[in-house]
Amino acid sequence: MSTLATPSPTQPERVSLERRVPSAGGLNVTFIKIEIRRLLRNRRTVIFTLLMPALFFLIFGLPNKDQHLPNGQSYGSYILISLAVYGAMTAATSAGGMVAVERALGWSRQLRLTPLQPAAYIAVKALSALSLALLSVATEFVIGFAFGVRMDWQIWLIAGLVAWLGSLTFAALGLFMGYLVPSQNVMQLLGPILAVLAMLGGLFVPISVMGTTFGEIAKFVPTYGLGQLARSPLTGDFDWSWVVNVAIWLAVFTVGATLAFRRDTKRV
Amino acid sequence: MTHPTTQTVEAPATTLAVDARDLHKSFGAVAAVNGVSLAIKPGEIVAFLGPNGAGKTTTIDMLLGLSVPSHGTVSIYGHTPRGAIARGQVSAVMQSGGLLKDLTVRETLELTATLFADTRPVDEVLERAGITEIASRMVEKCSGGQQQRLRFALALLSDPGLLILDEPTTGMDVEGRRDFWAAIRADAARGRTVVFATHYLEEADAYADRIILLRRGKIVADGSAAEIKNLAAGRTVTARLNAPDQPAIAGLPGVDSVSVQGGKVSVHTKDSDVVARYLLTQTDAVDLEITSNNLEDAFVALTGDDAQTPSLAEGN
């Protein structure tokens, strides 16, 4: 190993006392790019957010491609959109939950020795969550299209946008849990929970075949409103209660994340 | 105001690198820091020395704004700790942790660099920290010493006016330690202020301009290594002696204290020669021994559990 070098000739002669504060609290594109690279380096994250939802479609969606919904649309499309919602929410939760790892490693503390503002940090987490969620939705749709799913372009677009942007609710859930759970392996805990939520909320099995009790329970599950809204352009149905479901859960997780975040920064 | 008075032109007061006043920090009933004031001038290299639990890390955390004092104020180059950090004016190397395993050494630096308004080039700090060859290595593959160099490199990015180091050379080999201090000294010559906590007495002795000795959350001594050593005063002369004339010994030049126990007299003095000469020529003293105090003796004397809270603290 080389030795520590003395100051290079390019270094200013004196340490400067004139200093600037960075704009936007330190928020910048390079930061987000490196965050996304970190997410994609995690094999577990790639498997659970990109590969698994696609595989699920091949197993459960493809055989139902020629079944039809009451309005004549393909049941395969219905499953594809549901799984896109599932992929996006898993991706967003994983990205948000990374704060647990960063707290455990002391990286959060290290960041407090930089000009980065807490709000900018949260913004970076939200943006990297949205990026991974977008990649997940895109992967799902490309696989679906490649295996013969055909819908009007408006349906692709609106369903994709709802699945993608709705994942913010789960980015908040990930942050909430990341600040709450003192564990590096927060996703080992959250992964199964997300799968159960997806099941109960009608992302794996349509609500209509769930029976009365589970059908009623489903309406209160965080994945329900999002799934119904994302499939809405396909099914042609719409109900304001779905919007209410999404809004309430977004509010619950955001408030939870904010409180847990405040508690955490106070403690450091 | 327009009335014509003769204006006295004062030299601009130099802003202190660290101006901390009457810091207190309690955790429950325990006072971790109990009335610490610091005035550190730009360019000084200052060591915080003290046993575990003396309050070194708690004090550093308050200087960095990582914890809020229960009482007292901190100013870093005239700013609050947070304001100084936002300007890249202060950075710190912590003992452990603080690195992401899933980034390379270079990525860690690139990422951190984007958070500051102005930084030195990444290649330059890589070179200065001696980790250019491992720039593309994942952090989790780096040894403890390499990770410590990376923390050092991160702290150099903003070319800070004040660098705070908590046990900085932990995990470094002897050569690495020497190189590290050479780099630190070169920086101090450029006006960088360095504050480091250490439990290596030799390190404080060899590299600090000034040593601040902490004990139970208070400063018990503050001065150069030589001054601190003198606080535990010169040497001790002991001898076996019948009926010692205690007042006569105490009256010798340089003597601080005389104690007699059994047939043994023990004299604490700044001038051991005078005492030895007296004992050997004017009395029947036998078994005479002279021991000199080093920084470790001073450290033990000033920070030990039975140490009196000395008036030495004001000796600065």
Side-chain angles (χ1 to χ4, degrees):
Chain A
M1 174 182 291
S2 82
T3 55
L4 296 134
T6 45
S8 67
T10 58
Q11 225 176 1
E13 215 164 275
R14 300 291 300 172
V15 173
S16 164
L17 296 180
E18 294 300 317
R19 299 289 176 145
R20 296 188 301 148
V21 176
S23 56
L27 180 63
N28 69 85
V29 177
T30 308
F31 193 172
I32 297 165
K33 272 193 207 155
I34 291 181
E35 285 289 303
I36 294 169
R37 217 183 293 164
R38 286 181 59 211
L39 284 166
L40 295 179
R41 260 178 207 163
N42 188 325
R43 206 179 306 149
R44 197 183 188 83
T45 304
V46 171
I47 289 172
F48 281 95
T49 65
L50 303 182
L51 302 184
M52 281 242 305
L55 190 67
F56 282 173
F57 172 73
L58 297 182
I59 297 171
F60 304 111
L62 217 46
N64 291 305
K65 207 178 65 174
D66 298 324
Q67 307 263 14
H68 293 284
L69 298 171
N71 69 355
Q73 293 278 7
S74 156
Y75 184 47
S77 306
Y78 182 98
I79 295 175
L80 184 72
I81 295 172
S82 297
L83 288 172
V85 171
Y86 173 67
M89 72 184 238
T90 313
T93 313
S94 299
M98 286 225 303
V99 297
V101 181
E102 296 174 12
R103 288 170 63 229
L105 292 175
W107 177 248
S108 312
R109 192 177 157 91
Q110 178 70 30
L111 287 177
R112 295 194 64 193
L113 299 176
T114 73
L116 182 68
Q117 295 287 336
Y121 176 71
I122 297 297
V124 166
K125 287 291 161 204
L127 289 169
S128 60
L130 280 178
S131 307
L132 190 65
L134 181 61
L135 196 58
S136 177
V137 172
T139 306
E140 191 71 20
F141 278 7
V142 165
I143 293 291
F145 189 84
F147 283 88
V149 173
R150 294 293 179 269
M151 297 183 271
D152 290 346
W153 68 269
Q154 294 97 328
I155 300 178
W156 286 107
L157 181 71
I158 296 171
L161 279 176
V162 172
W164 176 43
L165 295 176
S167 69
L168 262 182
T169 301
F170 291 90
L173 172 66
L175 283 167
F176 184 16
M177 291 299 140
Y179 279 113
L180 211 62
V181 182
S183 159
Q184 291 208 31
N185 304 319
V186 67
M187 274 316 285
Q188 268 150 312
L189 179 75
L190 280 176
I193 293 178
L194 291 181
V196 170
L197 290 179
M199 176 63 100
L200 291 177
L203 294 182
F204 291 163
V205 183
I207 311 281
S208 51
V209 304
M210 284 170 101
T212 330
T213 315
F214 279 101
E216 280 306 306
I217 292 175
K219 292 179 180 166
F220 300 97
V221 175
T223 49
Y224 170 80
L226 199 52
Q228 294 288 68
L229 285 174
R231 290 181 303 249
S232 171
L234 182 77
T235 59
D237 296 335
F238 179 81
D239 194 310
W240 278 103
S241 71
W242 304 341
V243 179
V244 172
N245 174 293
V246 170
I248 287 177
W249 283 110
L250 177 63
V252 167
F253 293 150
T254 306
V255 168
T258 307
L259 293 179
F261 167 76
R262 287 223 182 111
R263 193 190 65 157
D264 184 70
T265 48
K266 211 179 285 172
R267 195 184 44 208
V268 176
Chain B
M1 303 251 252
T2 52
H3 54 93
T5 52
T6 44
Q7 290 226 314
T8 48
V9 180
E10 286 179 45
T14 343
T15 312
L16 287 170
V18 176
D19 187 359
R21 300 198 181 168
D22 199 25
L23 292 179
H24 289 75
K25 180 74 184 181
S26 301
F27 299 102
V30 184
V33 169
N34 194 5
V36 164
S37 293
L38 300 164
I40 297 172
K41 292 190 281 292
E44 274 191 300
I45 301 185
V46 178
F48 280 176
L49 194 57
N52 286 338
K56 301 184 299 259
T57 300
T58 309
T59 304
I60 285 179
D61 281 355
M62 286 190 281
L63 297 184
L64 291 169
L66 291 176
S67 81
V68 180
S70 315
H71 178 263
T73 58
V74 177
S75 164
I76 306 288
Y77 284 103
H79 298 285
T80 61
R82 189 60 219 165
I85 286 173
R87 289 170 176 80
Q89 188 61 292
V90 54
S91 65
V93 179
M94 294 311 194
Q95 265 186 73
S96 60
L99 298 174
L100 291 173
K101 293 179 191 165
D102 52 0
L103 289 181
T104 67
V105 167
R106 178 183 291 280
E107 283 169 340
T108 306
L109 285 161
E110 282 171 350
L111 171 53
T112 307
T114 64
L115 306 178
F116 291 90
D118 304 287
T119 61
R120 304 301 310 158
V122 166
D123 283 323
E124 180 187 295
V125 299
L126 277 170
E127 192 193 321
R128 293 216 47 218
I131 47 176
T132 304
E133 300 91 275
I134 59 162
S136 55
R137 187 173 298 178
M138 296 298 274
V139 169
E140 66 181 335
K141 299 258 160 65
C142 291
S143 71
Q146 289 168 337
Q147 292 189 1
Q148 193 63 356
R149 282 166 183 252
L150 173 55
R151 288 187 198 99
F152 180 51
L154 287 170
L156 291 178
L157 270 176
S158 69
D159 201 18
L162 171 64
L163 182 57
I164 296 184
L165 311 156
D166 197 358
E167 306 279 357
T169 57
T170 306
M172 286 189 192
D173 55 18
V174 176
E175 196 190 346
R177 196 167 289 174
R178 201 188 49 218
D179 295 340
F180 175 82
W181 284 111
I184 291 288
R185 288 227 76 103
D187 272 352
R190 294 176 50 236
R192 175 118 74 232
T193 314
V194 179
V195 172
F196 68 101
T198 184
H199 63 269
Y200 292 117
L201 292 165
E202 324 83 78
E203 210 161 69
D205 194 4
Y207 301 110
D209 301 326
R210 178 177 163 194
I211 296 174
I212 294 176
L213 214 53
L214 289 165
R215 169 175 167 257
R216 294 187 190 166
K218 285 184 191 292
I219 295 176
V220 291
D222 180 349
S224 68
E227 283 168 333
I228 302 264
K229 284 178 210 171
N230 280 339
L231 288 179
R235 290 174 179 172
T236 305
V237 182
T238 57
R240 228 164 243 301
L241 176 61
N242 290 318
D245 182 354
Q246 222 170 318
I249 300 172
L252 292 171
V255 172
D256 292 321
S257 67
V258 183
S259 65
V260 179
Q261 213 169 25
K264 196 175 178 190
V265 63
S266 176
V267 185
H268 214 205
T269 178
K270 292 184 189 71
D271 193 342
S272 55
D273 292 343
V274 170
V275 177
R277 189 171 293 116
Y278 167 82
L279 288 173
L280 291 173
T281 60
Q282 317 272 314
T283 73
D284 59 354
V286 292
D287 287 348
L288 183 126
E289 273 185 280
I290 302 176
T291 50
S292 69
N293 298 323
N294 52 26
L295 189 60
E296 190 168 347
D297 294 322
F299 180 75
V300 170
L302 294 168
T303 65
D305 269 345
D306 52 349
Q308 302 162 349
T309 304
S311 53
L312 302 167
E314 276 73 51
N316 181 29

